[in-house]
Amino acid sequence: MQASWKDYLLIALVLTPVGVLAIGLTVALDLGLRPWIGPWSVPVGVVGFLLAWAVGSAVALRALRRLAPVPPGEHAQTSREFARWKALTVVYRLGQGALAPLLPFFLTPWLSRLYGARIGADVQLSHGELRADTAA
């Protein structure tokens, strides 16, 4: 899978507003809370940035999926649908990666639903590595 400059441009167009929102919220939190929490403003700012990034990317992902959905099926690696799918995947992975360390494992289904997943009954999700049981 080869990435083109169009892929990077599309991802940058999606992530730039998310980053501006997250940085703006972090600065606002720092300026507003620094008098009360003092030296704890840095960790609170980091957590605020991660939360803002995660929620902003979830909103961007849902908007992209509504405005330009990727139709099901197979697509050539040079197609627009494949480029949109790559952009959606990058936004999803970065957003989920920002929020996953802050949430306990039992909220994994909620995190997946935040990004638009539909999860059926009797489904188990995990952040752990996938491995196949093999008989030696």
Side-chain angles (χ1 to χ4, degrees), residues 26-77:
T26 304
V27 169
L29 270 174
D30 186 52
L31 293 175
L33 295 178
R34 186 179 292 175
W36 291 300
I37 59 176
W40 287 97
S41 65
V42 173
V44 168
V46 169
V47 170
F49 174 81
L50 292 174
L51 287 173
W53 182 272
V55 172
S57 63
V59 169
L61 186 67
R62 286 179 175 256
L64 280 175
R65 289 180 62 201
R66 282 199 191 267
L67 295 173
V70 178
E74 294 184 20
H75 305 286
Q77 289 187 3

Coordinates of all heavy atoms in Angstrom, one line a residue, residues 26-77:
T26 N -6.7 23.1 25.6 CA -5.6 22.9 26.6 C -5.1 24.2 27.1 O -4.9 24.4 28.3 CB -4.4 22.1 25.9 OG1 -4.9 20.9 25.5 CG2 -3.3 21.9 26.9
V27 N -4.9 25.2 26.2 CA -4.5 26.5 26.7 C -5.5 27.2 27.5 O -5.2 27.8 28.6 CB -4.1 27.4 25.4 CG1 -3.9 28.9 25.8 CG2 -2.9 26.8 24.7
A28 N -6.8 27.1 27.2 CA -7.9 27.6 28.0 C -7.9 27.0 29.3 O -8.1 27.7 30.4 CB -9.2 27.5 27.2
L29 N -7.8 25.7 29.4 CA -7.8 25.0 30.7 C -6.6 25.5 31.5 O -6.8 25.7 32.7 CB -7.7 23.5 30.5 CG -8.9 22.7 30.4 CD1 -8.6 21.2 30.0 CD2 -9.7 22.7 31.6
D30 N -5.5 25.6 30.9 CA -4.3 26.0 31.7 C -4.4 27.4 32.2 O -4.2 27.7 33.4 CB -3.0 25.9 30.8 CG -1.8 26.2 31.6 OD1 -1.6 25.6 32.6 OD2 -1.0 27.1 31.1
L31 N -4.9 28.3 31.4 CA -5.1 29.7 31.8 C -6.2 29.8 32.9 O -6.1 30.6 33.8 CB -5.4 30.6 30.7 CG -4.3 30.8 29.6 CD1 -4.8 31.6 28.5 CD2 -3.1 31.4 30.3
G32 N -7.2 29.0 32.8 CA -8.3 29.1 33.7 C -8.1 28.4 35.0 O -8.6 28.9 36.1
L33 N -7.4 27.3 35.0 CA -7.2 26.5 36.2 C -5.9 26.7 36.9 O -5.8 26.3 38.1 CB -7.3 25.0 35.8 CG -8.7 24.6 35.3 CD1 -8.7 23.1 35.0 CD2 -9.8 24.8 36.4
R34 N -4.9 27.4 36.3 CA -3.6 27.5 36.9 C -3.7 28.2 38.3 O -3.0 27.8 39.2 CB -2.7 28.3 36.0 CG -1.3 28.3 36.6 CD -0.3 29.1 35.7 NE -0.1 28.3 34.5 CZ 0.6 28.7 33.5 NH1 1.2 29.9 33.5 NH2 0.7 27.9 32.4
P35 N -4.5 29.3 38.5 CA -4.5 29.9 39.8 C -5.0 28.9 40.9 O -4.6 29.1 42.1 CB -5.5 31.0 39.7 CG -5.6 31.3 38.2 CD -5.3 30.0 37.5
W36 N -5.9 27.9 40.6 CA -6.4 27.0 41.6 C -5.6 25.8 41.8 O -5.5 25.2 42.9 CB -7.9 26.6 41.2 CG -8.8 27.8 41.4 CD1 -9.1 28.5 42.5 CD2 -9.6 28.4 40.3 NE1 -10.0 29.5 42.2 CE2 -10.3 29.4 40.9 CE3 -9.7 28.1 39.0 CZ2 -11.2 30.2 40.2 CZ3 -10.6 28.9 38.3 CH2 -11.3 29.9 38.8
I37 N -5.0 25.2 40.7 CA -4.4 23.9 40.8 C -2.8 24.1 40.8 O -2.2 23.1 41.0 CB -4.9 22.9 39.8 CG1 -4.7 23.4 38.4 CG2 -6.3 22.6 40.0 CD1 -5.1 22.4 37.3
G38 N -2.3 25.2 40.5 CA -0.9 25.5 40.5 C -0.1 24.5 39.6 O -0.3 24.4 38.4
P39 N 0.9 23.8 40.3 CA 1.8 22.9 39.5 C 1.0 21.7 38.8 O 1.6 21.1 37.9 CB 2.8 22.4 40.5 CG 2.1 22.6 41.8 CD 1.2 23.7 41.7
W40 N -0.2 21.5 39.2 CA -0.9 20.4 38.6 C -1.5 20.8 37.3 O -2.2 20.0 36.6 CB -2.0 19.9 39.5 CG -1.5 19.1 40.7 CD1 -1.2 19.6 41.9 CD2 -1.0 17.8 40.7 NE1 -0.7 18.6 42.7 CE2 -0.5 17.5 42.0 CE3 -1.0 16.8 39.7 CZ2 0.0 16.2 42.3 CZ3 -0.5 15.5 40.1 CH2 0.0 15.3 41.4
S41 N -1.3 22.0 36.9 CA -1.9 22.5 35.6 C -1.3 21.7 34.4 O -2.0 21.5 33.4 CB -1.8 24.0 35.4 OG -0.4 24.3 35.3
V42 N -0.1 21.3 34.5 CA 0.5 20.6 33.4 C -0.1 19.2 33.2 O -0.5 18.9 32.0 CB 2.1 20.5 33.5 CG1 2.7 19.6 32.5 CG2 2.7 21.9 33.5
P43 N -0.2 18.3 34.2 CA -0.9 17.1 33.9 C -2.3 17.2 33.6 O -2.8 16.5 32.7 CB -0.7 16.3 35.3 CG 0.1 17.1 36.1 CD 0.4 18.4 35.5
V44 N -3.0 18.2 34.2 CA -4.4 18.4 33.8 C -4.5 18.9 32.4 O -5.4 18.5 31.6 CB -5.0 19.4 34.8 CG1 -6.4 19.9 34.2 CG2 -5.2 18.9 36.1
G45 N -3.5 19.7 31.9 CA -3.5 20.1 30.5 C -3.3 18.9 29.6 O -3.9 18.9 28.5
V46 N -2.4 18.0 29.9 CA -2.1 16.9 29.1 C -3.4 16.0 29.0 O -3.7 15.6 27.9 CB -0.9 16.0 29.6 CG1 -0.8 14.7 28.9 CG2 0.4 16.8 29.5
V47 N -4.0 15.7 30.1 CA -5.2 14.9 30.1 C -6.3 15.7 29.3 O -7.1 15.1 28.5 CB -5.7 14.6 31.5 CG1 -7.1 14.0 31.5 CG2 -4.7 13.6 32.1
G48 N -6.4 17.0 29.5 CA -7.4 17.8 28.7 C -7.1 17.7 27.2 O -8.1 17.6 26.4
F49 N -5.9 17.8 26.8 CA -5.5 17.7 25.4 C -5.9 16.3 24.8 O -6.5 16.2 23.8 CB -4.0 17.9 25.2 CG -3.6 17.7 23.8 CD1 -3.7 18.7 22.8 CD2 -3.0 16.5 23.4 CE1 -3.3 18.5 21.5 CE2 -2.6 16.3 22.1 CZ -2.8 17.3 21.2
L50 N -5.6 15.3 25.6 CA -5.9 13.9 25.1 C -7.4 13.7 25.0 O -7.9 13.2 24.0 CB -5.3 12.8 26.0 CG -3.8 12.7 26.0 CD1 -3.3 11.7 27.1 CD2 -3.3 12.3 24.7
L51 N -8.2 14.2 25.9 CA -9.6 14.1 25.9 C -10.2 14.9 24.7 O -11.1 14.5 24.0 CB -10.3 14.6 27.2 CG -10.1 13.6 28.4 CD1 -10.6 14.3 29.6 CD2 -10.8 12.3 28.1
A52 N -9.7 16.2 24.5 CA -10.2 17.0 23.4 C -9.8 16.4 22.1 O -10.6 16.4 21.1 CB -9.6 18.4 23.6
W53 N -8.6 15.8 22.0 CA -8.2 15.2 20.7 C -9.1 14.0 20.4 O -9.5 13.8 19.3 CB -6.7 14.7 20.8 CG -6.2 14.1 19.5 CD1 -6.3 12.8 19.2 CD2 -5.6 14.8 18.4 NE1 -5.8 12.6 17.9 CE2 -5.4 13.8 17.5 CE3 -5.3 16.1 18.2 CZ2 -4.8 14.1 16.3 CZ3 -4.7 16.4 17.0 CH2 -4.4 15.4 16.0
A54 N -9.4 13.2 21.4 CA -10.2 12.0 21.2 C -11.6 12.4 20.8 O -12.1 11.8 19.9 CB -10.2 11.1 22.5
V55 N -12.2 13.3 21.5 CA -13.6 13.7 21.2 C -13.6 14.4 19.9 O -14.5 14.2 19.0 CB -14.2 14.5 22.3 CG1 -15.5 15.1 22.0 CG2 -14.3 13.7 23.6
G56 N -12.7 15.3 19.6 CA -12.6 16.0 18.3 C -12.5 15.1 17.2 O -13.1 15.2 16.1
S57 N -11.6 14.0 17.3 CA -11.4 13.1 16.2 C -12.7 12.2 16.0 O -13.0 11.8 14.9 CB -10.2 12.2 16.4 OG -10.3 11.5 17.6
A58 N -13.4 11.9 17.1 CA -14.6 11.1 17.0 C -15.7 11.9 16.2 O -16.4 11.4 15.4 CB -15.1 10.7 18.4
V59 N -15.8 13.2 16.5 CA -16.7 14.1 15.8 C -16.3 14.2 14.4 O -17.2 14.1 13.5 CB -16.8 15.5 16.5 CG1 -17.6 16.4 15.7 CG2 -17.4 15.3 17.9
A60 N -15.1 14.4 14.1 CA -14.6 14.5 12.7 C -14.8 13.2 12.0 O -15.2 13.2 10.8 CB -13.1 14.8 12.7
L61 N -14.6 12.1 12.6 CA -14.8 10.8 12.0 C -16.3 10.6 11.6 O -16.6 10.1 10.5 CB -14.3 9.7 12.9 CG -14.3 8.3 12.4 CD1 -13.3 8.1 11.3 CD2 -14.0 7.3 13.5
R62 N -17.1 10.9 12.6 CA -18.6 10.7 12.3 C -19.0 11.7 11.2 O -19.8 11.3 10.3 CB -19.4 11.0 13.5 CG -19.3 9.8 14.5 CD -20.1 10.1 15.8 NE -20.0 8.9 16.6 CZ -21.1 8.1 16.7 NH1 -22.2 8.3 16.1 NH2 -21.0 7.0 17.5
A63 N -18.5 12.9 11.2 CA -18.9 13.8 10.1 C -18.4 13.3 8.7 O -19.1 13.4 7.7 CB -18.3 15.2 10.4
L64 N -17.1 12.8 8.7 CA -16.6 12.3 7.4 C -17.4 11.1 6.9 O -17.7 11.0 5.8 CB -15.1 11.9 7.6 CG -14.1 13.0 7.6 CD1 -12.7 12.4 7.9 CD2 -14.1 13.6 6.2
R65 N -17.8 10.2 7.9 CA -18.6 9.1 7.5 C -19.9 9.4 7.0 O -20.5 8.7 6.1 CB -18.7 8.1 8.7 CG -17.4 7.4 9.0 CD -17.4 6.5 10.1 NE -18.4 5.4 9.8 CZ -18.9 4.6 10.7 NH1 -18.7 4.8 11.9 NH2 -19.8 3.7 10.3
R66 N -20.5 10.6 7.4 CA -21.8 11.0 6.9 C -21.7 11.7 5.6 O -22.5 11.6 4.7 CB -22.5 11.9 7.9 CG -23.1 11.2 9.0 CD -24.1 12.1 9.7 NE -24.6 11.6 10.9 CZ -25.7 10.8 11.0 NH1 -26.4 10.5 10.0 NH2 -26.0 10.3 12.2
L67 N -20.6 12.6 5.5 CA -20.5 13.4 4.3 C -19.9 12.6 3.1 O -20.3 12.8 2.0 CB -19.5 14.6 4.6 CG -20.1 15.6 5.6 CD1 -19.0 16.6 5.9 CD2 -21.3 16.3 5.1
A68 N -19.0 11.7 3.4 CA -18.4 11.0 2.3 C -18.2 9.5 2.7 O -17.1 9.1 3.0 CB -17.1 11.6 1.9
P69 N -19.3 8.7 2.8 CA -19.1 7.4 3.3 C -18.3 6.5 2.3 O -18.4 6.8 1.1 CB -20.6 6.9 3.4 CG -21.3 7.7 2.4 CD -20.6 9.1 2.4
V70 N -17.7 5.5 2.8 CA -16.9 4.6 2.0 C -17.9 3.4 1.7 O -18.3 2.7 2.6 CB -15.7 4.1 2.7 CG1 -14.9 3.1 1.8 CG2 -14.7 5.3 3.0
P71 N -18.3 3.2 0.5 CA -19.2 2.1 0.2 C -18.5 0.7 0.4 O -17.3 0.6 0.3 CB -19.5 2.3 -1.3 CG -18.4 3.1 -1.9 CD -17.9 3.9 -0.8
P72 N -19.3 -0.2 0.9 CA -18.7 -1.5 1.1 C -18.3 -2.2 -0.2 O -18.8 -1.8 -1.3 CB -19.9 -2.3 1.8 CG -21.1 -1.6 1.5 CD -20.7 -0.2 1.2
G73 N -17.3 -3.1 -0.1 CA -16.8 -3.8 -1.2 C -15.3 -3.6 -1.4 O -14.6 -3.1 -0.5
E74 N -14.8 -4.1 -2.5 CA -13.3 -4.0 -2.7 C -13.0 -2.8 -3.6 O -13.8 -2.5 -4.5 CB -12.9 -5.3 -3.5 CG -13.0 -6.5 -2.6 CD -12.5 -7.8 -3.3 OE1 -11.7 -7.6 -4.3 OE2 -12.9 -8.9 -2.9
H75 N -12.0 -2.1 -3.2 CA -11.6 -0.9 -3.9 C -10.1 -1.0 -4.3 O -9.3 -1.5 -3.5 CB -11.8 0.3 -3.1 CG -13.2 0.4 -2.5 ND1 -14.3 0.8 -3.4 CD2 -13.8 0.2 -1.3 CE1 -15.4 0.8 -2.6 NE2 -15.1 0.4 -1.4
A76 N -9.8 -0.4 -5.4 CA -8.4 -0.4 -5.9 C -7.6 0.6 -5.0 O -8.2 1.5 -4.4 CB -8.3 0.1 -7.3
Q77 N -6.3 0.3 -4.8 CA -5.5 1.1 -3.9 C -5.4 2.5 -4.4 O -4.9 3.4 -3.7 CB -4.2 0.5 -3.7 CG -4.3 -0.7 -2.8 CD -2.9 -1.3 -2.5 OE1 -1.9 -0.7 -2.8 NE2 -2.9 -2.4 -1.8

